[in-house]
Amino acid sequence: MVKNVYFDNAATTPIRAEVVDVMHEVLKDNFGNPSSTHAFGRSAKTQIETARKSIAKHFNAHPQEIIFTSGGTESDNMLVRCAVQDLGVETVITSKIEHHAILHAVEYLAERKLATVLYVKTDADGAVDYTDLAHLLAADDSKKLVSLMHINNEIGTILDLERVSNLCKTHDALFHTDAVQGVGHYAIDLEQIAVDFLSAAAHKFHGPKGVGFSFVRKNSGLQPFILGGSQERGLRAGTESVHNIVGMAKALEIAYAKLEDEQQYLKELKAQAIKQLTDAFPDIHFNGCCSDMERSTFTLVNVALPISEEKASLLNFHLDLNGIACSKGSACQSGSAKGSHVLEEVVPVALKNWPSIRFSFSVFNTQDDVDYLVKTLATFAKE
Ligand SMILES: Cc1ncc(COP(=O)(O)O)c(C=O)c1O
């Protein structure tokens, strides 16, 4: 029997029912423009500021340090481009396995000669080479920004935020982290960790799409990114998406209230997936270090499957036909097909013609889903 199984939670997560409820209330009863000074506007404004306080609290941040945006892409663009434009950053250090929201933003800066872009070495696990990072930071006296993602969205490798922030402090560099895949899944204490800027998106933690936030440390000197009204302390003009912001705050509140239980649940689910996949495909390769529960997030596995090239071309179609949603990601083989830039860096050359797939989990997945997935894959491989 065909089931509907959603294993693409790194792409987006289903919204929680409680979040829909609060958003519905706002849409129904709180339609005022937060910039209006009458009671309708004041009420909407209160909703936004309450959400801001609630979000800041989870990160030990000041409410003023939370700037609402349309999501991860906008936050990444805003923070990296403004650091260069407004803060005198001359060199941006990033890696080749960042999300395109960062990679294309730094390419833009480099093409226009607005900044020099350096790429820190990463290894086959997708881990940053901290010695190389220290070396790049010490290379010259230019003002530097390090932009490295907290959790890699394709292979799950976790960055040691504290270690990078200490290196940045030592070398007087700014530190931005794209924490889109980490916020809502991991505790992040911004009083303990000297991150200057952070990006987050609500739809990765069971909130609505089209809303996120930038953490901008107090007195950063950042200038307006979108010009217009004085919303978001003038940094990001435009009438706020009140229902989305309130929904995001609710989603984050639930995520952090249930953090330990949900982390435990997902760790067990991922461990089961690893075991069952290995039993079914003894030669399977776990891309990056995603089978290492300490160094890779519990929310995903990315595997290269030992199946024939002929079958590989039908794999995604077959999974879709069987109701399984996941993400295809293949390393570029010939240079002609556009593969994943992340897998290109981490998949061993000998395995580059195996199909790679990412299965990403949420608390709405069950053990039954994992059983169904592995059975479907095993049957397909044998047919
Ligand atoms: C690590 C990372 N950064 C940025 C983004 C972009 O976020 P958004 O879809 O909210 O623009 C994503 C989305 O997949 C992501 O995984």
Side-chain angles (χ1 to χ4, degrees), residues 10 71-73 76 99 101 149 151 153 178 180-181 201 203-204:
T73 302
D76 281 350
H99 191 274
M149 72 209 304
I151 287 166
N153 55 306
D178 172 343
V180 165
Q181 296 287 343
H203 70 113
K204 309 291 187 178

Side-chain angles (χ1 to χ4, degrees), residues 161-351:
L161 288 177
E162 195 161 3
R163 191 163 174 186
V164 175
S165 71
N166 287 338
L167 276 172
C168 288
K169 247 198 310 196
T170 306
H171 294 278
D172 203 18
L174 294 165
F175 178 28
H176 163 249
T177 188
D178 172 343
V180 165
Q181 296 287 343
V183 164
H185 302 288
Y186 288 86
I188 302 175
D189 185 337
L190 293 170
E191 207 152 83
Q192 293 299 317
I193 302 173
V195 165
D196 296 283
F197 309 114
L198 174 147
S199 312
H203 70 113
K204 309 291 187 178
F205 49 84
H206 305 292
K209 292 171 186 54
V211 65
F213 65 88
S214 296
F215 162 81
V216 177
R217 196 164 294 278
K218 237 191 279 180
N219 304 322
S220 71
L222 231 59
Q223 299 300 308
F225 175 64
I226 296 182
L227 304 170
S230 59
Q231 295 93 346
E232 300 305 298
R233 291 190 293 114
L235 287 180
R236 200 265 188 187
T239 301
E240 301 89 336
S241 183
V242 187
H243 62 299
N244 272 334
I245 291 170
V246 171
M248 171 162 66
K250 184 70 184 177
L252 211 52
E253 179 195 315
I254 300 172
Y256 282 115
K258 296 186 169 179
L259 192 74
E260 282 176 21
D261 287 351
E262 296 196 340
Q263 280 181 340
Q264 194 50 37
Y265 180 80
L266 287 169
K267 280 180 187 168
E268 282 163 22
L269 203 68
K270 173 168 167 170
Q272 268 307 318
I274 290 173
K275 182 180 178 315
Q276 288 177 233
L277 284 165
T278 312
D279 287 347
F281 299 92
D283 293 332
I284 195 171
H285 176 73
F286 291 92
N287 292 323
C289 54
C290 73
S291 57
D292 180 334
M293 301 293 270
E294 294 300 313
R295 299 173 63 220
S296 174
T297 178
F298 45 81
T299 51
L300 68 86
V301 289
N302 189 320
V303 294
L305 284 177
I307 57 177
S308 70
E309 260 184 75
E310 191 194 358
K311 284 212 154 163
S313 62
L314 297 172
L315 179 60
N316 291 293
F317 176 65
H318 181 79
L319 289 173
D320 195 21
L321 208 64
N322 281 279
I324 297 171
C326 56
S327 247
K328 166 175 103 153
S330 62
C332 188
Q333 296 159 34
S334 61
S336 57
K338 220 170 182 217
S340 146
H341 63 288
V342 176
L343 296 182
E344 189 54 31
E345 294 291 321
V346 301
V347 175
V349 177
L351 306 186

